[in-house]
Amino acid sequence: MISYISTRGNSPAVSSAQAILKGLADDGGLYVPDAWPTLDLTLADLKSLSYQEIAVKVFTAFLPDFAEEDLHEAIRKAYGSQWQNEQIVPLADFGHLHYLELFHGPTMAFKDVALQALPQLVKLAAKKEGLDKEIAILTATSGDTGTAAMAGFADVPKTKIAVLYPKKGISDIQRQQMQSEPGKNTYVYGLEGNFDQAQRAVKELLSDADFHDFLEKEQIQLSSANSINIGRLIPQIVYYFAGYGQLIAKGDIAPGEAIDIVVPTGNFGNMLAAYYASQVGLPVHHFTVASNENNVLTDFFNQGVYDRRRDFKVTNAPAMDILVSSNLERLLYFATNRNSDVVRQLMTDLQEKGQYHLPAESRTALQDFSAGWTSQETVLQTIQETYGKDHYLIDPHTAVAKALYSEGSRHTLLASTASPYKFAQTVLTALGKEAVAGQAGLVALSEATKTTIPVQMANLYERPIRHRQVITTDQIKATIQAAFKH
Ligand SMILES: *Cc1c(COP(=O)(O)O)cnc(C)c1O
């Protein structure tokens, strides 16, 4: 049975339930499986399996300490009628290019796929561990994680969730979604700072001794809904298999045929899930890591140097405005052939010097990856061209990836990470229309493109604003303690 170990090698191995409850390992590392599990399926099976059935195969392999009937139940709840498409992640096909539409869930970004499942997994893990405490989720968000995490955890008994979002950079709709979140157990704060600062502050708090004393005293188990939590990563592996199954079903590929995968990337969770899928049997020929103007990863994959010492840019694909991609640490672990000493050193370099150099032999291990980046102007142009040529509307994040795609001989899954309606102002601008805010923006986009406003958004602007507080990074600890205190 697989267990989970820290990428930094200085924390004991834990079960998958424990890894989900803890989020981050005590040594600051990220949990990774100590061996690749074997999925109980063949590629030829995929075309006749439902999304939920594929999910069962992936979840049971990666979460072997959970009871199978519990996982069935969790999957039934996570992938039910809250999804606006029966296939959960349908494909939109244009020749060899297949958009994997990951945005049909409640908050209309791909993060719903994992965050509809995570609360179920956390509850099961707590039951398994005999944990009677309240569970508190603390999450930094670049916009979409916060809304999706709250949609998942809202009013779940014995849980609380606090979300920190950067005041600048998120879209009008994301702000409305967060500030109007009705769940009684939700706490939302705008932060003077960018996403990196929010993420760093949360990571620091997670390893702050004084904060741990507070949690101990209040009998609170802290966890994370960020993609550092394996409970987020594992549900994301499923959709790459599901997309592959649809390609077989459509007759585009034969079982076993290799595909390419292109992912608009921020914290590297989505890309890492694709890599994990390839390690447990999905035939992938090449991965393309697509960044916006915050192009740290492009330089990393092209030059072998990760250097976060550069200006943080607020772009029109804000969910990817990140300079420290947390999940890359998990890829480094495999690229260094599971050498936690090297990973620890690289992470220390990043912390102390703001950069690290990947050893040459590890660069060779990453030769299936290439990387590129897309400017904000090209994002707008790509949205316009894609709409003009294919009559297909894409959001700015998907456009970052689309701009880097060129048709080749292989079928390609391109992760389409958000609904264009979630970034209506940018999409309107791209189409040469006035970027009106609020409900009017949704209506304008609908009229301009003869598409319907998604039902998830129909009443969004009628919800009252409940969360207005804006804080500085210095105030995070006190604010979160006040929120979590009984
Ligand atoms: C979060 C997000 C991304 C980046 O995904 P990572 O897993 O953090 O790399 C891309 N697009 C959208 C719309 C997102 O919400």
Side-chain angles (χ1 to χ4, degrees), residues 194 196 200 291-301 303-313 322-324 350 353-356 373:
N194 59 41
D196 267 341
R200 199 171 332 139
S291 299
N292 64 21
E293 291 171 8
N294 294 291
N295 52 6
V296 193
L297 287 170
T298 310
D299 294 345
F300 169 73
F301 281 99
Q303 291 151 26
V305 180
Y306 196 101
D307 190 347
R308 66 167 162 82
R309 298 168 306 169
R310 58 183 83 198
D311 289 339
F312 180 94
K313 300 203 173 114
I322 296 173
L323 292 180
V324 177
L350 184 63
K353 304 179 192 149
Q355 65 158 353
Y356 61 79
W373 66 279

PDB file of all heavy atoms in Angstrom, residues 194 196 200 291-301 303-313 322-324 350 353-356 373:
ATOM      1  N   ASN A 194       0.271  40.832  -3.307  1.00  0.00           N
ATOM      2  CA  ASN A 194      -0.059  39.980  -4.439  1.00  0.00           C
ATOM      3  C   ASN A 194      -0.224  38.530  -3.992  1.00  0.00           C
ATOM      4  O   ASN A 194      -0.080  38.205  -2.811  1.00  0.00           O
ATOM      5  CB  ASN A 194       1.000  40.128  -5.540  1.00  0.00           C
ATOM      6  CG  ASN A 194       2.386  39.759  -5.065  1.00  0.00           C
ATOM      7  OD1 ASN A 194       2.561  38.788  -4.340  1.00  0.00           O
ATOM      8  ND2 ASN A 194       3.382  40.541  -5.461  1.00  0.00           N
ATOM      9  N   ASP A 196       1.627  35.878  -4.448  1.00  0.00           N
ATOM     10  CA  ASP A 196       2.828  35.271  -3.856  1.00  0.00           C
ATOM     11  C   ASP A 196       2.939  35.594  -2.381  1.00  0.00           C
ATOM     12  O   ASP A 196       3.277  34.743  -1.557  1.00  0.00           O
ATOM     13  CB  ASP A 196       4.088  35.799  -4.553  1.00  0.00           C
ATOM     14  CG  ASP A 196       4.502  34.887  -5.696  1.00  0.00           C
ATOM     15  OD1 ASP A 196       4.061  33.723  -5.720  1.00  0.00           O
ATOM     16  OD2 ASP A 196       5.262  35.351  -6.551  1.00  0.00           O
ATOM     17  N   ARG A 200       2.832  32.918   0.552  1.00  0.00           N
ATOM     18  CA  ARG A 200       3.957  32.811   1.488  1.00  0.00           C
ATOM     19  C   ARG A 200       3.466  32.973   2.920  1.00  0.00           C
ATOM     20  O   ARG A 200       3.863  32.239   3.824  1.00  0.00           O
ATOM     21  CB  ARG A 200       5.040  33.832   1.144  1.00  0.00           C
ATOM     22  CG  ARG A 200       6.365  33.463   1.744  1.00  0.00           C
ATOM     23  CD  ARG A 200       7.528  34.323   1.259  1.00  0.00           C
ATOM     24  NE  ARG A 200       7.341  34.871  -0.066  1.00  0.00           N
ATOM     25  CZ  ARG A 200       7.677  36.115  -0.406  1.00  0.00           C
ATOM     26  NH1 ARG A 200       8.212  36.922   0.483  1.00  0.00           N
ATOM     27  NH2 ARG A 200       7.492  36.543  -1.625  1.00  0.00           N
ATOM     28  N   SER A 291       2.837  29.891 -19.707  1.00  0.00           N
ATOM     29  CA  SER A 291       2.793  30.943 -18.683  1.00  0.00           C
ATOM     30  C   SER A 291       2.351  32.252 -19.301  1.00  0.00           C
ATOM     31  O   SER A 291       2.441  32.443 -20.518  1.00  0.00           O
ATOM     32  CB  SER A 291       4.178  31.154 -18.056  1.00  0.00           C
ATOM     33  OG  SER A 291       4.625  29.988 -17.420  1.00  0.00           O
ATOM     34  N   ASN A 292       1.929  33.181 -18.450  1.00  0.00           N
ATOM     35  CA  ASN A 292       1.694  34.545 -18.909  1.00  0.00           C
ATOM     36  C   ASN A 292       2.991  35.350 -18.690  1.00  0.00           C
ATOM     37  O   ASN A 292       4.081  34.772 -18.626  1.00  0.00           O
ATOM     38  CB  ASN A 292       0.456  35.147 -18.230  1.00  0.00           C
ATOM     39  CG  ASN A 292       0.610  35.287 -16.722  1.00  0.00           C
ATOM     40  OD1 ASN A 292       1.718  35.312 -16.190  1.00  0.00           O
ATOM     41  ND2 ASN A 292      -0.513  35.380 -16.035  1.00  0.00           N
ATOM     42  N   GLU A 293       2.879  36.658 -18.575  1.00  0.00           N
ATOM     43  CA  GLU A 293       4.093  37.487 -18.468  1.00  0.00           C
ATOM     44  C   GLU A 293       4.897  37.218 -17.189  1.00  0.00           C
ATOM     45  O   GLU A 293       6.055  37.614 -17.085  1.00  0.00           O
ATOM     46  CB  GLU A 293       3.718  38.971 -18.580  1.00  0.00           C
ATOM     47  CG  GLU A 293       3.245  39.319 -19.988  1.00  0.00           C
ATOM     48  CD  GLU A 293       2.658  40.716 -20.099  1.00  0.00           C
ATOM     49  OE1 GLU A 293       2.746  41.503 -19.134  1.00  0.00           O
ATOM     50  OE2 GLU A 293       2.108  41.035 -21.175  1.00  0.00           O
ATOM     51  N   ASN A 294       4.298  36.556 -16.234  1.00  0.00           N
ATOM     52  CA  ASN A 294       5.051  36.085 -15.060  1.00  0.00           C
ATOM     53  C   ASN A 294       5.709  34.760 -15.462  1.00  0.00           C
ATOM     54  O   ASN A 294       5.269  33.672 -15.081  1.00  0.00           O
ATOM     55  CB  ASN A 294       4.117  35.923 -13.872  1.00  0.00           C
ATOM     56  CG  ASN A 294       3.548  37.259 -13.418  1.00  0.00           C
ATOM     57  OD1 ASN A 294       4.282  38.086 -12.889  1.00  0.00           O
ATOM     58  ND2 ASN A 294       2.271  37.485 -13.666  1.00  0.00           N
ATOM     59  N   ASN A 295       6.777  34.891 -16.267  1.00  0.00           N
ATOM     60  CA  ASN A 295       7.267  33.725 -17.010  1.00  0.00           C
ATOM     61  C   ASN A 295       8.449  33.006 -16.345  1.00  0.00           C
ATOM     62  O   ASN A 295       9.363  32.546 -17.020  1.00  0.00           O
ATOM     63  CB  ASN A 295       7.646  34.161 -18.430  1.00  0.00           C
ATOM     64  CG  ASN A 295       8.583  35.363 -18.418  1.00  0.00           C
ATOM     65  OD1 ASN A 295       9.023  35.777 -17.342  1.00  0.00           O
ATOM     66  ND2 ASN A 295       8.893  35.910 -19.569  1.00  0.00           N
ATOM     67  N   VAL A 296       8.378  32.884 -15.027  1.00  0.00           N
ATOM     68  CA  VAL A 296       9.434  32.175 -14.285  1.00  0.00           C
ATOM     69  C   VAL A 296       9.620  30.751 -14.779  1.00  0.00           C
ATOM     70  O   VAL A 296      10.745  30.273 -14.940  1.00  0.00           O
ATOM     71  CB  VAL A 296       9.080  32.099 -12.783  1.00  0.00           C
ATOM     72  CG1 VAL A 296      10.271  31.658 -11.975  1.00  0.00           C
ATOM     73  CG2 VAL A 296       8.556  33.415 -12.272  1.00  0.00           C
ATOM     74  N   LEU A 297       8.490  30.082 -15.022  1.00  0.00           N
ATOM     75  CA  LEU A 297       8.578  28.673 -15.420  1.00  0.00           C
ATOM     76  C   LEU A 297       9.164  28.509 -16.816  1.00  0.00           C
ATOM     77  O   LEU A 297       9.854  27.528 -17.094  1.00  0.00           O
ATOM     78  CB  LEU A 297       7.194  28.023 -15.355  1.00  0.00           C
ATOM     79  CG  LEU A 297       6.656  27.762 -13.945  1.00  0.00           C
ATOM     80  CD1 LEU A 297       5.190  27.342 -14.000  1.00  0.00           C
ATOM     81  CD2 LEU A 297       7.477  26.680 -13.236  1.00  0.00           C
ATOM     82  N   THR A 298       8.897  29.471 -17.692  1.00  0.00           N
ATOM     83  CA  THR A 298       9.458  29.405 -19.047  1.00  0.00           C
ATOM     84  C   THR A 298      10.979  29.401 -18.955  1.00  0.00           C
ATOM     85  O   THR A 298      11.655  28.558 -19.552  1.00  0.00           O
ATOM     86  CB  THR A 298       8.992  30.615 -19.883  1.00  0.00           C
ATOM     87  OG1 THR A 298       7.575  30.728 -19.766  1.00  0.00           O
ATOM     88  CG2 THR A 298       9.368  30.453 -21.339  1.00  0.00           C
ATOM     89  N   ASP A 299      11.503  30.330 -18.157  1.00  0.00           N
ATOM     90  CA  ASP A 299      12.958  30.386 -17.991  1.00  0.00           C
ATOM     91  C   ASP A 299      13.484  29.131 -17.307  1.00  0.00           C
ATOM     92  O   ASP A 299      14.543  28.614 -17.669  1.00  0.00           O
ATOM     93  CB  ASP A 299      13.348  31.622 -17.167  1.00  0.00           C
ATOM     94  CG  ASP A 299      13.041  32.912 -17.919  1.00  0.00           C
ATOM     95  OD1 ASP A 299      12.809  32.843 -19.145  1.00  0.00           O
ATOM     96  OD2 ASP A 299      13.011  33.984 -17.278  1.00  0.00           O
ATOM     97  N   PHE A 300      12.733  28.647 -16.347  1.00  0.00           N
ATOM     98  CA  PHE A 300      13.180  27.449 -15.632  1.00  0.00           C
ATOM     99  C   PHE A 300      13.327  26.261 -16.583  1.00  0.00           C
ATOM    100  O   PHE A 300      14.359  25.585 -16.606  1.00  0.00           O
ATOM    101  CB  PHE A 300      12.215  27.103 -14.499  1.00  0.00           C
ATOM    102  CG  PHE A 300      12.479  25.754 -13.901  1.00  0.00           C
ATOM    103  CD1 PHE A 300      13.581  25.550 -13.090  1.00  0.00           C
ATOM    104  CD2 PHE A 300      11.661  24.667 -14.187  1.00  0.00           C
ATOM    105  CE1 PHE A 300      13.859  24.296 -12.554  1.00  0.00           C
ATOM    106  CE2 PHE A 300      11.920  23.417 -13.668  1.00  0.00           C
ATOM    107  CZ  PHE A 300      13.024  23.224 -12.847  1.00  0.00           C
ATOM    108  N   PHE A 301      12.308  26.015 -17.388  1.00  0.00           N
ATOM    109  CA  PHE A 301      12.381  24.845 -18.270  1.00  0.00           C
ATOM    110  C   PHE A 301      13.383  25.064 -19.405  1.00  0.00           C
ATOM    111  O   PHE A 301      14.002  24.114 -19.871  1.00  0.00           O
ATOM    112  CB  PHE A 301      10.997  24.484 -18.823  1.00  0.00           C
ATOM    113  CG  PHE A 301      10.158  23.734 -17.823  1.00  0.00           C
ATOM    114  CD1 PHE A 301       9.189  24.383 -17.073  1.00  0.00           C
ATOM    115  CD2 PHE A 301      10.370  22.378 -17.604  1.00  0.00           C
ATOM    116  CE1 PHE A 301       8.427  23.691 -16.134  1.00  0.00           C
ATOM    117  CE2 PHE A 301       9.619  21.675 -16.664  1.00  0.00           C
ATOM    118  CZ  PHE A 301       8.647  22.340 -15.929  1.00  0.00           C
ATOM    119  N   GLN A 303      16.155  27.148 -19.277  1.00  0.00           N
ATOM    120  CA  GLN A 303      17.539  27.419 -18.845  1.00  0.00           C
ATOM    121  C   GLN A 303      17.988  26.631 -17.617  1.00  0.00           C
ATOM    122  O   GLN A 303      19.162  26.664 -17.250  1.00  0.00           O
ATOM    123  CB  GLN A 303      17.697  28.923 -18.558  1.00  0.00           C
ATOM    124  CG  GLN A 303      17.624  29.759 -19.837  1.00  0.00           C
ATOM    125  CD  GLN A 303      17.075  31.149 -19.565  1.00  0.00           C
ATOM    126  OE1 GLN A 303      17.192  31.665 -18.453  1.00  0.00           O
ATOM    127  NE2 GLN A 303      16.462  31.764 -20.569  1.00  0.00           N
ATOM    128  N   GLY A 304      17.034  25.981 -16.939  1.00  0.00           N
ATOM    129  CA  GLY A 304      17.404  25.212 -15.756  1.00  0.00           C
ATOM    130  C   GLY A 304      17.617  26.055 -14.520  1.00  0.00           C
ATOM    131  O   GLY A 304      18.146  25.575 -13.502  1.00  0.00           O
ATOM    132  N   VAL A 305      17.230  27.333 -14.584  1.00  0.00           N
ATOM    133  CA  VAL A 305      17.387  28.216 -13.419  1.00  0.00           C
ATOM    134  C   VAL A 305      16.015  28.749 -13.027  1.00  0.00           C
ATOM    135  O   VAL A 305      15.299  29.290 -13.872  1.00  0.00           O
ATOM    136  CB  VAL A 305      18.313  29.417 -13.731  1.00  0.00           C
ATOM    137  CG1 VAL A 305      18.466  30.311 -12.499  1.00  0.00           C
ATOM    138  CG2 VAL A 305      19.664  28.919 -14.219  1.00  0.00           C
ATOM    139  N   TYR A 306      15.679  28.575 -11.755  1.00  0.00           N
ATOM    140  CA  TYR A 306      14.436  29.159 -11.260  1.00  0.00           C
ATOM    141  C   TYR A 306      14.800  30.431 -10.521  1.00  0.00           C
ATOM    142  O   TYR A 306      15.547  30.402  -9.552  1.00  0.00           O
ATOM    143  CB  TYR A 306      13.719  28.189 -10.306  1.00  0.00           C
ATOM    144  CG  TYR A 306      12.275  28.581 -10.073  1.00  0.00           C
ATOM    145  CD1 TYR A 306      11.248  27.923 -10.734  1.00  0.00           C
ATOM    146  CD2 TYR A 306      11.943  29.622  -9.203  1.00  0.00           C
ATOM    147  CE1 TYR A 306       9.929  28.289 -10.550  1.00  0.00           C
ATOM    148  CE2 TYR A 306      10.626  30.001  -9.018  1.00  0.00           C
ATOM    149  CZ  TYR A 306       9.623  29.323  -9.688  1.00  0.00           C
ATOM    150  OH  TYR A 306       8.310  29.695  -9.506  1.00  0.00           O
ATOM    151  N   ASP A 307      14.299  31.556 -11.005  1.00  0.00           N
ATOM    152  CA  ASP A 307      14.672  32.839 -10.409  1.00  0.00           C
ATOM    153  C   ASP A 307      13.426  33.686 -10.185  1.00  0.00           C
ATOM    154  O   ASP A 307      12.853  34.209 -11.128  1.00  0.00           O
ATOM    155  CB  ASP A 307      15.649  33.569 -11.345  1.00  0.00           C
ATOM    156  CG  ASP A 307      16.264  34.784 -10.664  1.00  0.00           C
ATOM    157  OD1 ASP A 307      15.755  35.191  -9.599  1.00  0.00           O
ATOM    158  OD2 ASP A 307      17.259  35.309 -11.194  1.00  0.00           O
ATOM    159  N   ARG A 308      13.040  33.788  -8.912  1.00  0.00           N
ATOM    160  CA  ARG A 308      11.815  34.542  -8.620  1.00  0.00           C
ATOM    161  C   ARG A 308      12.082  36.034  -8.451  1.00  0.00           C
ATOM    162  O   ARG A 308      11.166  36.812  -8.240  1.00  0.00           O
ATOM    163  CB  ARG A 308      11.142  33.999  -7.361  1.00  0.00           C
ATOM    164  CG  ARG A 308      11.913  34.199  -6.071  1.00  0.00           C
ATOM    165  CD  ARG A 308      11.022  33.915  -4.857  1.00  0.00           C
ATOM    166  NE  ARG A 308      11.787  33.687  -3.649  1.00  0.00           N
ATOM    167  CZ  ARG A 308      12.267  34.655  -2.884  1.00  0.00           C
ATOM    168  NH1 ARG A 308      12.091  35.917  -3.214  1.00  0.00           N
ATOM    169  NH2 ARG A 308      12.951  34.352  -1.789  1.00  0.00           N
ATOM    170  N   ARG A 309      13.355  36.450  -8.549  1.00  0.00           N
ATOM    171  CA  ARG A 309      13.687  37.861  -8.325  1.00  0.00           C
ATOM    172  C   ARG A 309      13.359  38.673  -9.573  1.00  0.00           C
ATOM    173  O   ARG A 309      14.219  38.987 -10.389  1.00  0.00           O
ATOM    174  CB  ARG A 309      15.175  38.002  -7.965  1.00  0.00           C
ATOM    175  CG  ARG A 309      15.532  37.265  -6.676  1.00  0.00           C
ATOM    176  CD  ARG A 309      17.011  37.174  -6.520  1.00  0.00           C
ATOM    177  NE  ARG A 309      17.605  36.578  -7.727  1.00  0.00           N
ATOM    178  CZ  ARG A 309      18.894  36.545  -7.988  1.00  0.00           C
ATOM    179  NH1 ARG A 309      19.755  37.064  -7.151  1.00  0.00           N
ATOM    180  NH2 ARG A 309      19.327  35.982  -9.106  1.00  0.00           N
ATOM    181  N   ARG A 310      12.129  38.990  -9.740  1.00  0.00           N
ATOM    182  CA  ARG A 310      11.682  39.779 -10.878  1.00  0.00           C
ATOM    183  C   ARG A 310      10.373  40.446 -10.483  1.00  0.00           C
ATOM    184  O   ARG A 310       9.761  40.076  -9.488  1.00  0.00           O
ATOM    185  CB  ARG A 310      11.505  38.911 -12.117  1.00  0.00           C
ATOM    186  CG  ARG A 310      10.514  37.783 -11.907  1.00  0.00           C
ATOM    187  CD  ARG A 310      10.404  36.895 -13.127  1.00  0.00           C
ATOM    188  NE  ARG A 310      11.458  35.892 -13.178  1.00  0.00           N
ATOM    189  CZ  ARG A 310      11.805  35.233 -14.278  1.00  0.00           C
ATOM    190  NH1 ARG A 310      11.196  35.470 -15.407  1.00  0.00           N
ATOM    191  NH2 ARG A 310      12.754  34.331 -14.247  1.00  0.00           N
ATOM    192  N   ASP A 311       9.962  41.417 -11.272  1.00  0.00           N
ATOM    193  CA  ASP A 311       8.724  42.117 -10.943  1.00  0.00           C
ATOM    194  C   ASP A 311       7.520  41.206 -11.124  1.00  0.00           C
ATOM    195  O   ASP A 311       7.434  40.475 -12.100  1.00  0.00           O
ATOM    196  CB  ASP A 311       8.564  43.348 -11.832  1.00  0.00           C
ATOM    197  CG  ASP A 311       9.564  44.426 -11.452  1.00  0.00           C
ATOM    198  OD1 ASP A 311      10.055  44.375 -10.296  1.00  0.00           O
ATOM    199  OD2 ASP A 311       9.864  45.284 -12.293  1.00  0.00           O
ATOM    200  N   PHE A 312       6.637  41.300 -10.164  1.00  0.00           N
ATOM    201  CA  PHE A 312       5.370  40.587 -10.245  1.00  0.00           C
ATOM    202  C   PHE A 312       4.437  41.402 -11.131  1.00  0.00           C
ATOM    203  O   PHE A 312       4.262  42.584 -10.931  1.00  0.00           O
ATOM    204  CB  PHE A 312       4.788  40.462  -8.838  1.00  0.00           C
ATOM    205  CG  PHE A 312       3.474  39.737  -8.773  1.00  0.00           C
ATOM    206  CD1 PHE A 312       3.437  38.382  -8.516  1.00  0.00           C
ATOM    207  CD2 PHE A 312       2.284  40.419  -8.961  1.00  0.00           C
ATOM    208  CE1 PHE A 312       2.226  37.715  -8.457  1.00  0.00           C
ATOM    209  CE2 PHE A 312       1.071  39.752  -8.902  1.00  0.00           C
ATOM    210  CZ  PHE A 312       1.043  38.401  -8.649  1.00  0.00           C
ATOM    211  N   LYS A 313       3.848  40.760 -12.135  1.00  0.00           N
ATOM    212  CA  LYS A 313       2.963  41.503 -13.039  1.00  0.00           C
ATOM    213  C   LYS A 313       1.513  41.095 -12.828  1.00  0.00           C
ATOM    214  O   LYS A 313       1.207  39.902 -12.734  1.00  0.00           O
ATOM    215  CB  LYS A 313       3.352  41.220 -14.492  1.00  0.00           C
ATOM    216  CG  LYS A 313       4.775  41.644 -14.773  1.00  0.00           C
ATOM    217  CD  LYS A 313       4.993  41.889 -16.246  1.00  0.00           C
ATOM    218  CE  LYS A 313       6.372  42.472 -16.472  1.00  0.00           C
ATOM    219  NZ  LYS A 313       7.247  41.576 -17.225  1.00  0.00           N
ATOM    220  N   ILE A 322       1.821  34.380 -10.711  1.00  0.00           N
ATOM    221  CA  ILE A 322       2.507  33.704  -9.611  1.00  0.00           C
ATOM    222  C   ILE A 322       3.999  33.675  -9.919  1.00  0.00           C
ATOM    223  O   ILE A 322       4.383  33.424 -11.066  1.00  0.00           O
ATOM    224  CB  ILE A 322       1.989  32.242  -9.479  1.00  0.00           C
ATOM    225  CG1 ILE A 322       0.512  32.224  -9.093  1.00  0.00           C
ATOM    226  CG2 ILE A 322       2.796  31.466  -8.465  1.00  0.00           C
ATOM    227  CD1 ILE A 322      -0.098  30.839  -9.117  1.00  0.00           C
ATOM    228  N   LEU A 323       4.823  33.932  -8.913  1.00  0.00           N
ATOM    229  CA  LEU A 323       6.269  33.827  -9.136  1.00  0.00           C
ATOM    230  C   LEU A 323       6.877  32.600  -8.459  1.00  0.00           C
ATOM    231  O   LEU A 323       7.956  32.167  -8.819  1.00  0.00           O
ATOM    232  CB  LEU A 323       6.986  35.094  -8.652  1.00  0.00           C
ATOM    233  CG  LEU A 323       6.691  36.363  -9.460  1.00  0.00           C
ATOM    234  CD1 LEU A 323       7.464  37.546  -8.894  1.00  0.00           C
ATOM    235  CD2 LEU A 323       7.027  36.183 -10.934  1.00  0.00           C
ATOM    236  N   VAL A 324       6.167  32.058  -7.457  1.00  0.00           N
ATOM    237  CA  VAL A 324       6.669  30.838  -6.833  1.00  0.00           C
ATOM    238  C   VAL A 324       5.623  29.742  -7.027  1.00  0.00           C
ATOM    239  O   VAL A 324       4.588  29.726  -6.372  1.00  0.00           O
ATOM    240  CB  VAL A 324       6.963  31.045  -5.333  1.00  0.00           C
ATOM    241  CG1 VAL A 324       7.410  29.741  -4.699  1.00  0.00           C
ATOM    242  CG2 VAL A 324       8.043  32.105  -5.151  1.00  0.00           C
ATOM    243  N   LEU A 350      16.105  28.874  -2.910  1.00  0.00           N
ATOM    244  CA  LEU A 350      15.004  29.732  -3.360  1.00  0.00           C
ATOM    245  C   LEU A 350      14.622  30.715  -2.254  1.00  0.00           C
ATOM    246  O   LEU A 350      14.411  31.904  -2.501  1.00  0.00           O
ATOM    247  CB  LEU A 350      13.798  28.874  -3.754  1.00  0.00           C
ATOM    248  CG  LEU A 350      12.600  29.622  -4.337  1.00  0.00           C
ATOM    249  CD1 LEU A 350      12.972  30.307  -5.648  1.00  0.00           C
ATOM    250  CD2 LEU A 350      11.421  28.671  -4.568  1.00  0.00           C
ATOM    251  N   LYS A 353      18.290  32.841  -1.495  1.00  0.00           N
ATOM    252  CA  LYS A 353      18.924  33.593  -2.582  1.00  0.00           C
ATOM    253  C   LYS A 353      17.923  34.034  -3.647  1.00  0.00           C
ATOM    254  O   LYS A 353      18.282  34.771  -4.567  1.00  0.00           O
ATOM    255  CB  LYS A 353      20.004  32.735  -3.258  1.00  0.00           C
ATOM    256  CG  LYS A 353      21.056  32.230  -2.296  1.00  0.00           C
ATOM    257  CD  LYS A 353      22.087  31.374  -3.031  1.00  0.00           C
ATOM    258  CE  LYS A 353      22.963  30.617  -2.056  1.00  0.00           C
ATOM    259  NZ  LYS A 353      23.403  29.332  -2.613  1.00  0.00           N
ATOM    260  N   GLY A 354      16.689  33.523  -3.549  1.00  0.00           N
ATOM    261  CA  GLY A 354      15.684  33.899  -4.546  1.00  0.00           C
ATOM    262  C   GLY A 354      15.822  33.131  -5.843  1.00  0.00           C
ATOM    263  O   GLY A 354      15.106  33.394  -6.805  1.00  0.00           O
ATOM    264  N   GLN A 355      16.738  32.186  -5.895  1.00  0.00           N
ATOM    265  CA  GLN A 355      16.878  31.389  -7.119  1.00  0.00           C
ATOM    266  C   GLN A 355      17.574  30.053  -6.833  1.00  0.00           C
ATOM    267  O   GLN A 355      18.179  29.865  -5.777  1.00  0.00           O
ATOM    268  CB  GLN A 355      17.705  32.160  -8.149  1.00  0.00           C
ATOM    269  CG  GLN A 355      19.127  32.388  -7.721  1.00  0.00           C
ATOM    270  CD  GLN A 355      20.057  32.643  -8.900  1.00  0.00           C
ATOM    271  OE1 GLN A 355      19.679  32.538 -10.044  1.00  0.00           O
ATOM    272  NE2 GLN A 355      21.305  32.964  -8.608  1.00  0.00           N
ATOM    273  N   TYR A 356      17.410  29.134  -7.754  1.00  0.00           N
ATOM    274  CA  TYR A 356      18.186  27.897  -7.669  1.00  0.00           C
ATOM    275  C   TYR A 356      18.507  27.387  -9.071  1.00  0.00           C
ATOM    276  O   TYR A 356      17.827  27.718 -10.044  1.00  0.00           O
ATOM    277  CB  TYR A 356      17.464  26.819  -6.855  1.00  0.00           C
ATOM    278  CG  TYR A 356      16.125  26.363  -7.372  1.00  0.00           C
ATOM    279  CD1 TYR A 356      16.034  25.455  -8.428  1.00  0.00           C
ATOM    280  CD2 TYR A 356      14.945  26.799  -6.791  1.00  0.00           C
ATOM    281  CE1 TYR A 356      14.805  25.023  -8.898  1.00  0.00           C
ATOM    282  CE2 TYR A 356      13.701  26.378  -7.253  1.00  0.00           C
ATOM    283  CZ  TYR A 356      13.642  25.489  -8.304  1.00  0.00           C
ATOM    284  OH  TYR A 356      12.418  25.063  -8.766  1.00  0.00           O
ATOM    285  N   TRP A 373       5.705  31.438 -23.053  1.00  0.00           N
ATOM    286  CA  TRP A 373       4.818  32.398 -22.394  1.00  0.00           C
ATOM    287  C   TRP A 373       4.126  33.296 -23.408  1.00  0.00           C
ATOM    288  O   TRP A 373       4.578  33.436 -24.538  1.00  0.00           O
ATOM    289  CB  TRP A 373       5.586  33.230 -21.361  1.00  0.00           C
ATOM    290  CG  TRP A 373       6.638  34.144 -21.921  1.00  0.00           C
ATOM    291  CD1 TRP A 373       7.906  33.794 -22.294  1.00  0.00           C
ATOM    292  CD2 TRP A 373       6.508  35.542 -22.182  1.00  0.00           C
ATOM    293  NE1 TRP A 373       8.579  34.887 -22.765  1.00  0.00           N
ATOM    294  CE2 TRP A 373       7.747  35.982 -22.706  1.00  0.00           C
ATOM    295  CE3 TRP A 373       5.473  36.469 -22.012  1.00  0.00           C
ATOM    296  CZ2 TRP A 373       7.967  37.310 -23.069  1.00  0.00           C
ATOM    297  CZ3 TRP A 373       5.699  37.795 -22.368  1.00  0.00           C
ATOM    298  CH2 TRP A 373       6.946  38.193 -22.896  1.00  0.00           C
TER     299      TRP A 373
END
